[in-house]
Amino acid sequence: MSTGTLDKLPIGKSARILDVGGEAALQQRLLEMGLLPGVDVTVVRQAPLGDPIEVKVMGYSLSLRRSEAANVQIETTA
Amino acid sequence: MLEYITIAAIILAAAGFTGWRAWQTLRVASGSKACGGCEKCD
Amino acid sequence: MTEGHARHDRHVIALMGNPNTGKSSLFSALTGTRQKVANFPGVTVEAKIGTARFENSEITVIDLPGTYSMAARSPDERVATDALLGRIEGTPKPDGVIIVLDASSLDRNLYIGTQILEFGLPAVVALTMVDVAESRGITVDVAKLSETLGVPVVVINAPKGRGLDDLKSTLHRTLHHPGKVLELDYPDDFLRGVNTLYNELCDLGVKLGFKPTRPEALRLLVDGAGPFFDECEEVGGEEFISKFFEIREKAAGGRSLSMHEAQTRYGAIGKWMQEVKQTETREGRTRTDIVDGILTHKFWGSLVFIVVMGLIFQSIYSWSGPLMDAIDGSFGALGEWVGGMMSDGALKSLVVDGVIAGVGGVLIFLPQILVLFLFIAILEDLGYMARAAFLMDRLMSRFGLNGRSFIPMLSGFACAIPAIMGTRVIEDRNTRLTTIFLAPFMSCSARLPVYVLFIAAFVPQMKVLGFIELQGLVLFAMYWVGVFAAIPTALVLKKGILKSKATPFLLELPSYKTPRLKAVGRTLWDRGGSFIKRAGTIILAVSVLVWAAGYFPHSQEVDDKYDAQLAEVESAYADSILEFNPEEDADSLLAQYKAIDDAHEERVAEAEEAAEDDDALEQAISESKAERNAEMAKLAAKSADAEQALSHYADWKALEERRGEIENLRGGEHLEDSFLGRAGHVIEPAVEPLGWDWRIGMAAIASFPAREVIVATLGTIFNLGGDEDEESETLREVVKNAERKDGSKLFTLATALSIMVFFALCAQCAATLAVMRRETNSWKWPIASFLYMTVLAYIGALVTYQVAHALGG
Ligand SMILES: Nc1nc2c(ncn2[C@@H]2O[C@H](COP(=O)(O)OP(=O)(O)O)[C@@H](O)[C@H]2O)c(=O)[nH]1
Ligand SMILES: [Mg+2]
């Protein structure tokens, strides 16, 4: 078990969200889009220029910048 | 004579229509018309 | 509440839900009104109103922009919230709401679902995309969902027309017997905060001018900002604000309020889903995953992008060419036919030079417009737009912009107006303003006719690398002119006056959908229809006005002068010509001469079309000439009269030529002497450095209200100035043959390029400026845009002409 932030999660790996921070408006947006504690998230791919990334959360595809993903604390099992 | 009356009428109509369109465009600018001034978008 | 037996019920229903869930499709299906539907978030940015009928009742339906939450941050989200509360002027307050939920991502869809349900309006859930969900192994227990939410749930598929009747009758029932109001288990402190704030707001109520509701209190508490907050601050003053923050702090209990809200909602949703939803994990990747693997791939994605773009520009030429020629030909024939029917005079000139040459000149570009929109419609329906934003975000953020800005910019290639309206999804004001300012730089479909005309006339038809059409390549390059101008503009704006911190990107990537024939066809029909309508209205009107300015005063003096010249020339040849009339005496020897000569001309025309270069053309012409001379000599040798006939024929030809020259001079002098000509000479010095003469200058000025007018005005101006008896030419030929006073060709490649660059960069669209004013609420932006783009266009055209001219173009 190891903890980190979503922007560092390698492509193809899944993790569980521990906490979501960030500036108020961004945090609210992240939460509304389904990135909240207890939810599983998988990194699917990154854009050709390395940013943004695409993640699968709550069964849909969401793209966000690495800087935004850095506000999402995660833990990986195994 | 009739020819010139017809032509004058056509030119007046064209000028009137252009003026009306200019007026509509101003209405778009002032916000009293939601979209328009361009039939290209709906 | 009455029992619903009233004869003519009138109800107002709002459609709400996440973006891209099928609201607009449902709206169209219910009301029969067409509403733009496409597969990417942010298509609908304003409330649209339509009417649906059910039995005896009439239902007013409002299609709202899709949002993920009731917290309103961007202008399109505010529209949704305000409309639900009946606070938009001109939009009635809804009596009920259809909550549109996408079954394939039900959890996230229910987030705003719970927010709407808390408002307590009679509600029906329309469950869409059940087919998509099933293909992913997700099944939804509709009855359970309905029971849990406490409102009816109806499965629909609006594009296929399924479930609509059921939805209507359920809606009818619900409006008269609304369900229960949803209540969620908020933490105690949070709930207490909402209630305290609600009481405070009720005290403020009189001053606010409306009765606040509990869900509004919740929103105000959590969001702590926004237009409603500003209003309360204004009305309640310092006192209210300090109380507000005190309540907020207590309610938060050390955490963030949005975390409380999200955890309560998603907590409840998670619990419900365990009973309502069953997910059967499917092995293998979904279709969207596979397609995305290619389309967003580092290498393949870029390759596909380039190939698709190339294909679009190639097909604009190769597919629409034949159709365009057909339309062009029929307008030519129409002009000739009408010209033949009418007697010479001002009215004939109005019809032939003004209307047919003007409007016809624009209409021939219909095929190109359709091909362009065919591709745009397919990409939109497929779901590629959101991917384009994903691919471009990094690049756009270098210029201080956002990948989200890319979608409106892409739609700018169709028309700048929807592009500017589409910026409403951008929440940061400065980013939005920058995007609005950049949108008109994208080459909209109205520029296409200008490009096509000049490229077809001046860029040789040849292949590069064996398979790429040069003309298509140049067209592609024209589209980049605007983009290249936009980049430094963006940098200056974002690093200078419109600085702002990075805005969140967070964009849903919808699953790909097979483009539907019907939707694509509808787009083509609409766009084609409005293009024709434009040609028949505003372009027609401007053509008539330009004609009038170019025809009058049409002084008698000029006519007298040329009539005298004509009489002189005719009398010189009179004797000889009397004996020669090829039109009437078709079998005569002379007619045979004419036939031989005509055949020669035809061969030359063919050679001009087919020839690969000038040398080949010259050779073809001299060969044809030799053939003609040989045939004529053979004819002359046949009989004694032949010599004489040949000389009559030569005289006749010379006269025809002189007549043509005189008529040309007459037309030219009338035009120079006209109001348009006089104004043109005033502006000529300004456009000379661009390689233009006054006629092009005036045509460009006439196109400031709408840029495609140039094609019409060029047609009118050159037709007016030309020989009125000559066989009608296509606009391409007119442009090719136009001459300067000294007899040199008016349009060279350098002139054509300079015109195209000017049109690529210039702000020639009154409607765009008007929409800019409305969207920014200030004249500052449209004026700045107009000045900046016009100056840039002038400089761009100047540099292009001078460079191309120096290089010998
Ligand atoms: N497969 C499927 N596609 C749908 C359904 N409803 C709508 N769509 C498609 O989903 C896309 C988005 O629809 P639209 O009406 O624009 O959604 P809006 O953004 O909520 O207004 C379009 O491509 C529609 O054709 C449905 O029930 N099933
Ligand atoms: Mg919509």
Side-chain angles (χ1 to χ4, degrees):
Chain A
M1 205 133 75
S2 70
T3 62
T5 51
L6 180 58
D7 58 319
K8 300 273 158 46
L9 191 63
I11 292 169
K13 289 276 181 301
S14 302
R16 177 152 297 179
I17 297 172
L18 292 177
D19 196 13
V20 177
E23 178 264 330
L26 176 63
Q27 182 202 28
Q28 187 176 27
R29 186 117 300 164
L30 290 166
L31 291 167
E32 288 165 357
M33 296 307 281
L35 294 167
L36 72 160
V39 171
D40 290 331
V41 58
T42 310
V43 178
V44 182
R45 63 174 61 85
Q46 60 180 20
L49 296 173
D51 197 24
I53 56 172
E54 178 184 336
V55 301
K56 264 233 146 70
V57 60
M58 291 198 173
Y60 80 99
S61 293
L62 175 71
S63 69
L64 72 170
R65 290 185 179 151
R66 287 189 188 274
S67 59
E68 290 154 9
N71 294 303
V72 180
Q73 307 286 325
I74 49 164
E75 66 169 6
T76 46
T77 40
Chain B
M1 195 58 213
L2 188 67
E3 188 184 18
Y4 280 91
I5 293 176
T6 316
I7 290 171
I10 294 175
I11 293 173
L12 274 181
F17 182 77
T18 312
W20 178 75
R21 283 298 293 268
W23 161 245
Q24 291 299 306
T25 307
L26 278 177
R27 281 190 58 213
V28 170
S30 69
S32 55
K33 206 162 176 250
C35 175
C38 140
E39 294 102 304
K40 279 177 290 190
C41 74
D42 32 302
Chain C
M1 278 251 143
T2 57
E3 280 294 69
H5 297 305
R7 277 270 132 189
H8 290 287
D9 293 358
R10 273 196 147 275
H11 291 295
V12 182
I13 295 292
L15 293 178
M16 295 193 77
N18 283 180
N20 217 43
T21 49
K23 294 179 299 303
S24 296
S25 306
L26 176 59
F27 177 82
S28 302
L30 285 177
T31 63
T33 335
R34 285 181 197 172
Q35 161 75 298
K36 172 103 179 140
V37 175
N39 188 16
F40 61 94
V43 183
T44 311
V45 289
E46 57 177 344
K48 276 269 157 81
I49 300 181
T51 312
R53 253 162 254 286
F54 177 73
E55 288 171 4
N56 285 330
S57 54
E58 219 172 65
I59 308 170
T60 303
V61 186
I62 312 175
D63 184 23
L64 293 172
T67 64
Y68 294 101
S69 156
M70 294 293 279
R73 282 156 303 219
S74 61
D76 68 318
E77 292 177 328
R78 267 186 56 195
V79 171
T81 321
D82 287 349
L84 183 67
L85 298 168
R87 298 225 179 100
I88 294 186
E89 220 180 302
T91 309
K93 181 173 169 24
D95 313 310
V97 41
I98 298 178
I99 305 175
V100 181
L101 300 181
D102 173 350
S104 70
S105 52
L106 194 52
D107 302 53
R108 196 205 62 226
N109 271 258
L110 271 168
Y111 187 85
I112 192 172
T114 60
Q115 288 180 330
I116 300 166
L117 285 170
E118 280 176 340
F119 275 83
L121 256 68
V124 175
V125 165
L127 196 64
T128 61
M129 312 278 178
V130 174
D131 49 335
V132 180
E134 269 166 11
S135 73
R136 291 201 209 144
I138 301 168
T139 36
V140 177
D141 185 334
V142 177
K144 273 257 171 59
L145 181 62
S146 165
E147 189 187 314
T148 324
L149 297 177
V151 294
V153 177
V154 182
V155 173
I156 63 157
N157 185 332
K160 293 232 162 83
R162 286 195 204 126
L164 298 174
D165 288 333
D166 191 7
L167 180 67
K168 279 195 227 175
S169 59
T170 310
L171 190 63
H172 195 251
R173 252 178 286 127
T174 310
L175 284 168
H176 296 100
H177 306 278
K180 64 170 204 252
V181 178
L182 181 76
E183 282 187 24
L184 296 175
D185 281 332
Y186 290 101
D188 289 342
D189 283 343
F190 186 93
L191 204 56
R192 217 169 291 131
V194 174
N195 286 331
T196 324
L197 184 61
Y198 176 55
N199 290 333
E200 288 292 330
L201 286 176
C202 287
D203 292 345
L204 272 187
V206 189
K207 283 195 236 161
L208 278 169
F210 58 85
K211 195 178 168 318
T213 59
R214 200 182 297 268
E216 277 178 281
L218 189 154
R219 283 266 56 86
L220 185 62
L221 184 75
V222 176
D223 301 344
F228 187 38
F229 175 79
D230 298 340
E231 236 174 284
C232 292
E233 185 174 17
E234 199 175 299
V235 176
E238 278 292 313
E239 191 193 344
F240 172 79
I241 294 303
S242 63
K243 235 186 257 166
F244 174 71
F245 282 108
E246 202 178 300
I247 298 171
R248 245 187 140 207
E249 199 158 317
K250 245 191 234 157
R255 300 189 66 196
S256 95
L257 284 157
S258 38
M259 184 67 91
H260 283 306
E261 185 190 2
Q263 283 191 315
T264 308
R265 294 193 194 283
Y266 274 122
I269 293 166
K271 228 176 278 152
W272 299 339
M273 285 306 111
Q274 282 172 10
E275 306 209 344
V276 169
K277 193 175 78 173
Q278 256 170 27
T279 314
E280 177 191 319
T281 28
R282 292 260 160 107
E283 284 304 308
R285 307 189 303 161
T286 63
R287 195 169 58 145
T288 295
D289 278 336
I290 297 168
V291 178
D292 257 345
I294 300 167
L295 290 191
T296 59
H297 187 271
K298 218 179 190 140
F299 174 72
W300 298 117
S302 318
L303 189 72
V304 169
F305 181 79
I306 291 167
V307 168
V308 168
M309 288 300 141
L311 188 71
I312 294 177
F313 291 98
Q314 296 295 310
S315 12
I316 284 178
Y317 275 97
S318 46
W319 293 3
S320 38
L323 203 57
M324 186 182 168
D325 288 342
I327 302 178
D328 209 352
S330 31
F331 271 103
L334 181 69
E336 229 169 299
W337 181 72
V338 173
M341 303 262 293
M342 297 173 74
S343 56
D344 279 354
L347 196 59
K348 175 176 163 183
S349 172
L350 170 59
V351 173
V352 175
D353 304 328
V355 175
I356 296 179
V359 174
V362 174
L363 275 182
I364 58 174
F365 296 101
L366 181 64
Q368 273 87 3
I369 301 278
L370 291 181
V371 171
L372 179 70
F373 278 107
L374 174 71
F375 282 100
I376 292 182
I378 291 176
L379 289 182
E380 281 185 339
D381 225 40
L382 182 69
Y384 187 72
M385 297 301 239
R387 269 73 187 182
F390 175 69
L391 292 175
M392 296 303 289
D393 179 64
R394 184 64 195 276
L395 217 57
M396 302 284 281
S397 62
R398 295 241 170 99
F399 308 117
L401 284 170
N402 190 302
R404 279 167 180 265
S405 309
F406 195 66
I407 299 179
M409 300 248 239
L410 263 184
S411 34
F413 286 114
C415 173
I417 289 169
I420 289 172
M421 304 208 0
T423 62
R424 289 185 192 170
V425 300
I426 300 171
E427 53 200 80
D428 176 69
R429 193 181 141 74
N430 282 354
T431 308
R432 180 164 180 244
L433 285 174
T434 311
T435 313
I436 288 178
F437 200 80
L438 296 180
F441 278 102
M442 305 301 117
S443 273
C444 66
S445 61
R447 283 164 172 118
L448 190 58
V450 184
Y451 297 158
V452 172
L453 171 65
F454 286 103
I455 290 176
F458 297 103
V459 176
Q461 208 169 12
M462 55 183 266
K463 293 210 184 336
V464 187
L465 299 176
F467 65 99
I468 303 169
E469 291 276 357
L470 181 64
Q471 296 188 330
L473 204 62
V474 175
L475 182 65
F476 191 42
M478 286 319 299
Y479 276 77
W480 281 98
V481 170
V483 176
F484 281 134
I487 290 171
T489 309
L491 273 177
V492 169
L493 284 177
K494 284 299 289 189
K495 307 282 165 182
I497 22 180
L498 290 175
K499 241 181 262 175
S500 65
K501 51 183 164 47
T503 45
F505 175 59
L506 284 188
L507 184 74
E508 180 187 0
L509 301 176
S511 50
Y512 287 107
K513 300 213 164 67
T514 316
R516 295 146 304 150
L517 205 64
K518 211 172 125 193
V520 173
R522 181 175 277 182
T523 305
L524 291 186
W525 177 257
D526 287 350
R527 296 297 180 145
S530 62
F531 181 75
I532 293 171
K533 192 169 139 204
R534 239 173 119 68
T537 53
I538 187 67
I539 292 174
L540 174 64
V542 174
S543 292
V544 168
L545 294 180
V546 167
W547 171 85
Y551 187 84
F552 294 109
H554 211 81
S555 83
Q556 192 59 45
E557 267 166 53
V558 176
D559 271 342
D560 290 346
K561 183 168 118 198
Y562 287 100
D563 283 346
Q565 281 189 20
L566 210 56
E568 203 177 299
V569 178
E570 273 169 3
S571 74
Y573 287 103
D575 287 346
S576 173
I577 300 304
L578 272 179
E579 291 170 38
F580 179 70
N581 190 339
E583 313 286 336
E584 277 172 22
D585 198 359
D587 286 332
S588 79
L589 201 54
L590 292 155
Q592 295 180 44
Y593 279 117
K594 183 165 159 42
I596 293 171
D597 214 18
D598 284 350
H600 159 69
E601 307 251 304
E602 209 163 286
R603 284 194 299 269
V604 170
E606 265 168 36
E608 268 170 0
E609 286 276 310
E612 311 232 311
D613 53 56
D614 287 349
D615 286 348
L617 181 63
E618 226 152 84
Q619 187 169 353
I621 292 176
S622 67
E623 269 170 25
S624 170
K625 229 179 227 163
E627 195 180 334
R628 178 193 62 176
N629 293 347
E631 273 180 55
M632 283 193 174
K634 227 194 294 170
L635 199 60
K638 260 190 202 160
S639 72
D641 283 2
E643 288 291 337
Q644 174 126 47
L646 190 57
S647 105
H648 284 329
Y649 176 67
D651 283 350
W652 177 80
K653 262 198 87 165
L655 174 62
E656 285 294 291
E657 249 162 53
R658 284 293 293 144
R659 263 196 197 136
E661 275 165 26
I662 290 172
E663 289 301 341
N664 262 337
L665 287 174
R666 182 210 296 268
E669 189 159 334
H670 272 308
L671 184 62
E672 300 262 329
D673 189 43
S674 70
F675 301 120
L676 194 74
R678 291 177 206 176
H681 285 292
V682 176
I683 61 124
E684 184 148 38
V687 297
E688 239 165 21
L690 311 184
W692 304 1
D693 77 340
W694 70 267
R695 289 172 293 184
I696 307 175
M698 288 312 286
I701 290 175
S703 346
F704 268 89
R707 49 175 64 86
E708 64 268 51
V709 163
I710 177 121
V711 176
T713 42
L714 282 178
T716 299
I717 292 177
F718 285 109
N719 250 40
L720 269 178
D723 173 0
E724 292 178 30
D725 291 332
E726 197 174 305
E727 276 177 51
S728 62
E729 300 169 293
T730 64
L731 184 55
R732 237 178 316 169
E733 288 164 357
V734 169
V735 164
K736 254 191 202 168
N737 297 335
E739 288 175 351
R740 286 179 199 272
K741 270 222 198 75
D742 60 10
S744 64
K745 287 267 179 260
L746 170 57
F747 293 91
T748 57
L749 183 61
T751 317
L753 287 175
S754 131
I755 296 174
M756 286 194 283
V757 168
F758 186 87
F759 274 76
L761 298 177
C762 200
Q764 293 171 307
C765 182
T768 298
L769 296 173
V771 167
M772 233 184 226
R773 155 70 185 73
R774 185 185 68 206
E775 297 295 311
T776 60
N777 218 1
S778 132
W779 279 108
K780 199 172 79 189
W781 288 102
I783 290 173
S785 163
F786 178 77
L787 293 178
Y788 179 71
M789 291 185 75
T790 307
V791 170
L792 202 63
Y794 188 87
I795 296 174
L798 181 72
V799 172
T800 306
Y801 177 72
Q802 297 299 345
V803 171
H805 192 61
L807 293 177

